[in-house]
């Protein structure tokens, strides 16, 4: 896991993902947002957010939607040249999709000690038997990402 200082490019990308998370919260979705950007240029290809309630689909997580849309736009399932930036550590389903989509780099904000599968509960994305393992960086703008989730759930208790 990378622990270097956060670059302005990653800060900007995570800010965009946070904006998506806040929009999801306004739609009464669990506030998780994601962006997929070209790793070299920083150009944003896709912006998404959780849509499980709106789409009546338990698999409509921000990460999965970003991977699907990027593959459709690029006409290629391999996303080696791209960085997925998401506000919450991916679950097992999303971690598997990150591996299968061959995402080059994963960056996430808040750690998920209940369902996170990129270092917290388990580590699907770096399993040694898999043929693709993305670079992973967790804890980027962690406080801001955690706050969005805490505020959302505080209003529901």
């Amino acid at each position: 896991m990378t622990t270097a200082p956060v670059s302005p490019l990653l800060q900007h990308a995570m800010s965009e993902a946070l904006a998506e998370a806040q929009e999801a919260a306004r739609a009464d979705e669990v506030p998780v947002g994601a962006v997929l950007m070209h790793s070299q240029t920083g150009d944003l290809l896709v912006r998404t957010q959780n849509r499980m309630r709106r789409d009546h689909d338990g698999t409509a997580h921000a990460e999965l939607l970003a991977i699907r849309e990027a593959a459709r736009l690029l006409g290629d399932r391999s996303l080696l040249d791209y960085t997925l930036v998401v506000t919450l550590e991916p679950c097992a389903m999303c971690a598997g999709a990150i591996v299968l989509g061959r995402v080059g780099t994963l960056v996430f904000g808040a750690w998920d000690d209940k369902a996170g599968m990129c270092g917290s509960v388990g580590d699907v994305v770096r399993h040694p038997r898999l043929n693709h393992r993305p670079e992973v960086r967790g804890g980027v703008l962690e406080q801001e990402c955690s706050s969005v989730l805490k505020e959302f759930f505080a209003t529901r208790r």
Side-chain angles (χ1 to χ4, degrees), residues 65-85:
L65 296 173
I67 291 167
R68 286 176 181 161
E69 180 64 8
R72 186 188 70 74
L73 288 170
L74 295 170
D76 191 349
R77 75 174 185 97
S78 180
L79 301 172
L80 285 171
D81 295 333
Y82 290 85
T83 297
L84 178 63
V85 180

Side-chain angles (χ1 to χ4, degrees), residues 1 6 11-12 29-30 35-36 42 48 57 59-60 62-63 71 78 80 82 87 101 105-106 122 126 132 135 137 139:
M1 187 101 37
V6 179
Q11 285 184 2
H12 173 71
E29 295 279 357
V30 173
V35 298
L36 192 81
T48 63
D57 179 356
T59 69
E63 304 95 304
S78 180
L80 285 171
Y82 290 85
T87 57
T105 304
L106 166 65
R126 288 178 289 216
H132 174 70
E135 181 180 332
R137 174 151 189 197

